[in-house]
Amino acid sequence: MVLPVPNSTTPFWRTELHELDGHRSTPDLPSECDIVIIGAGFAGAALAHYIYEDNPSPPSVVILEAREACSGATGRNGGHMKPDVYYQVPKYIRKYGVEAAVDVARFEASQIHAVKELVEKEKIDCDFVLTRACDATLDPKLAEDTHRAFTELSKTGVANLKDVFYAYGKDAERLSGVKGALSCFTFTAGHVWPYKMVMHLLQGVVRKGANLQTNTPVTHLPKTPLPDGRWEVKTERGTIKAKEVLLATNGYTAHLAPQFKDRIVPVRGICSRIIVPKESSPPFLPYTYSIRYGAGMYDYLIPRPDGSIIVGGAKPAFWHDPSHWYDVSDDSKLVDQAVPHFDGLMQRTFIGWDNSGAKTDRVWTGIMGWTSDFMPYVGDVPGKPGQMVLAGFSGHGMPLILLSAKAIIQMLRHGKAFEETDVPGIFRATEERLNSTKNEILAGHNSSPAKL
C-alpha cells in the first residue's frame, strides 16, 4: 500500500499556511454523500470548483486528502504554467497523427488564459503573472536536432506557431540572457503561487457546502460497487458511500485503482528557491525559463515577484540513476546528489549574474504522476461505472488540469460525452491504454533521453 508519507520536505509554497490547511469540516466523516473527490491539490480543487460553479442545487461533496490540503505535487512544483506549443509536437505527429498533436498543443495553450480568467474572476491572490517562457538550449546536438525539427514543423504549416519566436545561432545568447545559448524559443506562459490558488478554490467550495477532510487517507476502493451502484470509500476514519468517486490522486492513483499500476508511476522530482541579497541588483529576468543541457536534461525556473527564483529539475545530477526517481513515492527525503546543483546556478547560467550573490534558500522534493505513454488520464475509469479520473500529468499538470477538470464536470453534471468536450481524445482513459505493456518512461531513459 503506497500512501503519501508523513514528515515530507517543506516547499516554499507551504511557508504561509492557509486556515484550511488541516481543516475538517465536520468532526466525523459523513456516512454517505453524492460525490467523493480523493485529492485536494489542483485537480481536486478544480473539480470541486466546477461542481459548485453556477449550481443552485449542488450535490453533497466530500473532499478527502491524505495529508494537509495541497501538500502533494501541486504544492511542490515550480509554479510554472508553461504549455508545450512546439517541442513535442513533431513526436506527437509521428505517434498520433497531425490532428491529435495539434489538438494537444491548442489545448495546452488555451489553459494559460483560462487560468488568468479564473484568477481575475475569483479575485485570487496568488501572484499570477502572464509572461513569456524562454526555452534555451546549450547542447550543440540538441540545438541542431531541435532546429531541424522546428524548421520542418514550420514548413508543414500544421501547427499554430504564431505565438512562437525562435532565435538560432549568434542571437540566441543575447536574446535569452543565457550564457552559451545556441537557440531559444519564447511563447506565452505564466507563473503562480500554486498553493494560494488551490487554497482559494477550496475555501470557495467549503463556503458553499463542500466537506473538506484533511489527514484522511483513503485506504481502499472495492473492485465492484454496491448493489445500489454506490461505491464504498474506505478511510482510516471510517467508510463513505458515494454515488460518484473522482480520483484526483496523480502519483498515488494505483494505490486505489490497481489497473493503473505501471500506467501511472510515482516519480520523485526536486525543486528549490534561490534568493538574492537585498543590496544586490542583478539583471532583470524577463521570462520564465527552461534550460536544456541535453536531450531530456533540463532545469526550469520562474522569477518571483519577491525577487527570489524557483528552480526545479537538476536532472543532470541524478537522472542517470532511475532508483533516485522512478517508482519513488517518498517526498520526505532529498536527492542528495542533486542538492549542490542549485548552488551557483544563477551565476553560471545567466549573463550579468556573476556577482549577484544569489544563493540557495530551500530545497524540497515532490511526487509526480508520470504515465507510461506521457498522456494524462481523463474521464470515466474503464469498467468502473461511477468512477472518474483526472491524474497522470507527467510533471506537466499546470497547463493541463483546469480545463480537463471543467470537462469532467461537464460530463458529470450535464451528461456530455467525452467527444463533446475540448479535451484531446488521446487523454481519454481507455482499456487499450490500461492494457498496454509499453513503458515509454523507462524505454526512453534507457535508449534516448530525448523521449523523456
Side-chain angles (χ1 to χ4, degrees):
M1 183 170 69
V2 179
L3 287 168
V5 301
N7 304 315
S8 56
T9 54
T10 303
F12 166 72
W13 308 123
R14 290 185 49 79
T15 55
E16 296 181 19
L17 297 181
H18 192 276
E19 61 185 26
L20 296 184
D21 191 69
H23 182 75
R24 288 178 177 174
S25 299
T26 56
D28 300 315
L29 290 182
S31 60
E32 59 184 23
C33 67
D34 293 319
I35 300 172
V36 163
I37 298 174
I38 306 176
F42 190 13
L47 289 166
H49 171 75
Y50 286 118
I51 289 172
Y52 283 92
E53 185 183 51
D54 301 324
N55 194 345
S57 301
S60 55
V61 176
V62 176
I63 306 169
L64 301 175
E65 172 56 50
R67 298 187 297 204
E68 299 80 20
C70 198
S71 60
T74 306
R76 300 173 176 278
N77 66 29
H80 201 183
M81 201 162 286
K82 175 195 169 192
D84 185 348
V85 292
Y86 79 95
Y87 190 69
Q88 297 284 10
V89 174
K91 184 178 83 171
Y92 294 162
I93 289 174
R94 293 192 299 270
K95 185 176 179 183
Y96 299 109
V98 170
E99 184 177 351
V102 172
D103 201 25
V104 171
R106 173 204 55 79
F107 186 69
E108 291 197 21
S110 69
Q111 303 270 341
I112 309 306
H113 294 287
V115 171
K116 179 178 182 289
E117 291 171 9
L118 174 73
V119 168
E120 292 173 349
K121 178 183 177 182
E122 301 295 328
K123 297 179 173 58
I124 304 176
D125 180 10
C126 62
D127 291 351
F128 176 82
V129 176
L130 184 69
T131 183
R132 301 279 289 180
C134 177
D135 287 355
T137 303
L138 305 183
D139 177 72
K141 185 178 187 308
L142 180 61
E144 184 180 337
D145 290 346
T146 304
H147 176 70
R148 187 182 306 111
F150 185 77
T151 300
E152 184 61 30
L153 184 64
S154 301
K155 287 180 179 178
T156 63
V158 299
N160 183 356
L161 302 174
K162 291 181 179 179
D163 188 49
V164 179
F165 172 78
Y166 174 47
Y168 181 65
K170 63 180 179 64
D171 296 328
E173 182 178 64
R174 181 56 57 184
L175 291 175
S176 67
V178 175
K179 295 179 180 178
L182 301 174
S183 68
C184 72
F185 296 81
T186 71
F187 46 93
T188 300
H191 57 89
V192 67
W193 190 313
Y195 175 83
K196 288 188 176 183
M197 181 174 68
V198 167
M199 296 310 296
H200 186 104
L201 294 177
L202 288 175
Q203 185 175 54
V205 298
V206 167
R207 286 174 176 169
K208 293 177 181 178
N211 188 322
L212 173 62
Q213 296 286 333
T214 64
N215 295 298
T216 306
V218 177
T219 55
H220 182 68
L221 274 179
K223 293 182 179 179
T224 56
L226 296 167
D228 63 4
R230 292 187 296 174
W231 290 93
E232 286 188 310
V233 182
K234 298 184 179 181
T235 80
E236 295 177 348
R237 299 173 53 223
T239 299
I240 307 176
K241 296 177 182 177
K243 298 175 184 176
E244 303 280 348
V245 177
L246 307 184
L247 296 168
T249 39
N250 209 27
Y252 301 96
T253 301
H255 155 61
L256 297 175
Q259 63 270 46
F260 288 96
K261 180 174 172 54
D262 298 327
R263 306 280 71 80
I264 300 181
V265 180
V267 166
R268 181 168 58 185
I270 191 163
C271 200
S272 70
R273 180 183 186 235
I274 293 175
I275 58 174
V276 181
K278 291 183 178 179
E279 62 273 15
S280 177
S281 298
F284 170 58
L285 279 182
Y287 307 121
T288 66
Y289 285 87
S290 287
I291 310 299
R292 302 190 183 278
Y293 304 105
M297 298 291 110
Y298 57 85
D299 288 326
Y300 59 89
L301 65 88
I302 66 168
R304 292 261 310 123
D306 64 4
S308 66
I309 305 103
I310 305 296
V311 182
K315 283 189 170 186
F318 74 102
W319 208 251
H320 61 280
D321 184 353
S323 68
H324 292 307
W325 54 270
Y326 183 83
D327 202 18
V328 177
S329 56
D330 185 352
D331 56 13
S332 69
K333 297 182 179 64
L334 296 176
V335 183
D336 292 336
Q337 295 86 341
V339 174
H341 177 82
F342 300 111
D343 296 332
L345 183 143
M346 298 303 295
Q347 290 89 334
R348 66 178 180 264
T349 303
F350 291 95
I351 296 171
W353 280 72
D354 303 71
N355 299 314
S356 65
K359 62 181 181 179
T360 307
D361 172 63
R362 181 187 299 268
V363 181
W364 63 90
T365 52
I367 307 305
M368 301 170 281
W370 282 34
T371 64
S372 56
D373 60 5
F374 290 105
M375 293 294 139
Y377 281 89
V378 181
D380 295 309
V381 178
K384 304 288 182 180
Q387 288 188 24
M388 303 184 83
V389 62
L390 178 56
F393 308 112
S394 301
H396 193 60
M398 297 302 281
L400 291 173
I401 289 173
L402 186 67
L403 295 182
S404 295
K406 185 176 184 178
I408 283 181
I409 303 309
Q410 288 174 339
M411 290 186 268
L412 190 63
R413 278 180 59 182
H414 307 299
K416 273 193 175 185
F418 185 97
E419 295 81 2
E420 296 177 290
T421 72
D422 292 329
V423 179
I426 54 179
F427 292 2
R428 188 173 189 172
T430 63
E431 288 281 5
E432 181 182 5
R433 291 181 68 194
L434 291 176
N435 291 335
S436 173
T437 58
K438 293 181 180 179
N439 186 330
E440 295 183 27
I441 306 171
L442 291 180
H445 180 270
N446 294 334
S447 60
S448 172
K451 296 180 182 177
L452 285 175

